[in-house]
Amino acid sequence: MEYIGIDVGGTNLVAGLVDERGAILQKVSRPVDRSMSDRALCRELSLLAEEVRLAGGLSRQDVQAVGVGLPGLVNNKQGVVVTTANMPFRDTPLRELFQQEWDVPIYLGNDANCAALGEYWAGAARGCNPTVMVTLGTGIGGGMVVNGKLFTGCANSGMEVGHMVIHPGGHLCGCGYRGCWEQYGSATALIRMTRQAMEKAPDSRLWALCDGDPEKVQGRTPFQAAKEGDATASQVLEEYRQEVAIGLINLINVLQPKVICLGGGISHAEDELLLEPLRELVERGSFDKRMPTRLVRASLGNDAGVVGAALLCKAV
Ligand SMILES: [Zn+2]
């Protein structure tokens, strides 16, 4: 049994042919042109699905279902993409448009939810119940799989973990409120904290790592500087880890997942600079000191979104 999963990202559209256990058999991708209309993009998705079907040598009847993961709010019941950040989809009847070209069941999911589902089926959270996935990127994405099904609340935005408020009256968030977790725990926040710390530390190694230009600081920059023994970077990371830990502790105390999978570029940092100190902080802050929740690094990278999208049909 084969499924097609399509991950709609800000820079690339990726389609994968996936088997029922979550293994990717074929994968194709193309850059995304965000100036296209939503209709034209739907057509692109259909062409990409066709391309990966042909790459796998399958007939259309062999494809059990198609799933699409999108960076935004989707309504799978109605088959509509409600809104997306930085993409032209808005109240787009994606299922109807896609089914004008393909006679196959099609499922829609949020990209962070798809990533959770992918890690649950084939990655670091395989078979863990419940699984929570937290992606530290431009913002903070979240997803949860319970008994093999995605938990998305009563109206599809139930795991917007990035908008947990952790600092009342704090930094203004894109959602319009103040003090949300993603303003403190995302890669964007880490970069901001690093730049601020550099300004007060002219001798920091951080300056050399970004060629003297704070604009060039990336999420990995403070990790690299800390590894080279830079005290400013180590201080920034200590503060950053505390911010990340607060959100993780809240999630654990409310949901008690079997595993929390950390994804996003930041999660590639060395264990001793990220996961190990985070585990210590989380253990100290969690209500249940037996710590039945494991904190692990996501293992599928960008493939998680493709696998999860493909297997949405089993999870919604
Ligand atoms: Zn927010």
Side-chain angles (χ1 to χ4, degrees):
M1 297 243 262
E2 272 93 22
Y3 306 83
I4 290 176
I6 306 178
D7 181 40
V8 177
T11 48
N12 285 301
L13 305 175
V14 186
L17 194 62
V18 173
D19 72 13
E20 76 268 13
R21 286 167 39 217
I24 295 183
L25 311 172
Q26 293 285 341
K27 199 164 66 167
V28 298
S29 69
R30 62 176 66 174
V32 61
D33 177 0
R34 283 188 284 176
S35 68
M36 277 184 167
S37 71
D38 59 347
R39 312 265 147 166
L41 267 171
C42 288
R43 172 106 183 107
E44 285 280 292
L45 299 182
S46 159
L47 290 171
L48 204 62
E50 185 67 3
E51 200 179 312
V52 80
R53 172 184 78 78
L54 290 170
L58 295 183
S59 75
R60 282 200 173 188
Q61 286 72 36
D62 293 330
V63 177
Q64 301 296 310
V66 175
V68 185
L70 298 120
L73 185 59
V74 303
N75 183 332
N76 179 62
K77 222 174 209 165
Q78 295 176 352
V80 170
V81 186
V82 183
T83 54
T84 44
N86 312 313
M87 298 288 285
F89 300 99
R90 196 179 168 83
D91 296 321
T92 306
L94 200 153
R95 177 178 294 138
E96 189 188 321
L97 292 166
F98 197 92
Q99 286 180 336
Q100 287 172 5
E101 322 259 345
W102 278 72
D103 182 22
V104 67
I106 165 162
Y107 296 83
L108 309 183
N110 162 272
D111 56 357
N113 286 326
C114 288
L117 197 54
E119 292 291 340
Y120 168 77
W121 271 99
R126 191 191 302 245
C128 294
N129 188 33
T131 283
V132 165
M133 165 106 188
V134 170
T135 307
L136 306 174
T138 312
I140 297 184
M144 176 161 67
V145 182
V146 188
N147 299 325
K149 305 285 181 189
L150 276 173
F151 173 84
T152 57
C154 67
N156 306 307
S157 54
M159 280 299 287
E160 288 292 342
V161 300
H163 301 282
M164 254 191 301
V165 177
I166 63 165
H167 291 286
H171 292 296
L172 186 62
C173 181
C175 72
Y177 206 63
R178 286 187 177 275
C180 296
W181 190 26
E182 71 176 27
Q183 294 305 316
Y184 299 86
S186 62
T188 312
L190 175 59
I191 290 168
R192 183 196 72 226
M193 291 160 75
T194 304
R195 286 178 182 152
Q196 283 169 349
M198 283 169 71
E199 296 300 337
K200 291 183 212 137
D203 299 331
S204 167
R205 175 88 187 110
L206 286 161
W207 287 99
L209 289 176
C210 65
D211 303 325
D213 179 3
E215 287 301 309
K216 289 190 187 166
V217 170
Q218 294 178 304
R220 73 172 95 99
T221 312
F223 290 100
Q224 197 175 336
K227 218 165 51 181
E228 294 172 17
D230 184 68
T232 305
S234 299
Q235 181 62 39
V236 167
L237 288 181
E238 197 171 321
E239 285 170 32
Y240 174 70
R241 287 187 301 250
Q242 281 172 10
E243 304 288 9
V244 173
I246 293 172
L248 295 177
I249 290 164
N250 287 340
L251 287 172
I252 289 170
N253 286 347
V254 176
L255 303 169
Q256 196 167 71
K258 187 83 185 165
V259 68
I260 294 184
C261 228
L262 273 191
I266 297 288
S267 71
H268 298 300
E270 289 75 7
D271 282 359
E272 57 270 30
L273 291 178
L274 189 70
L275 274 182
E276 286 168 14
L278 271 182
R279 284 185 188 122
E280 247 170 70
L281 289 167
V282 163
E283 196 175 333
R284 215 180 303 155
S286 292
F287 172 77
D288 188 337
K289 300 299 174 201
R290 298 169 303 167
M291 270 304 286
T293 301
R294 280 189 304 127
L295 185 61
V296 302
R297 179 186 292 110
S299 67
L300 295 182
N302 294 332
D303 283 349
V306 172
V307 173
L311 299 180
L312 274 172
C313 54
K314 295 176 186 272
V316 296

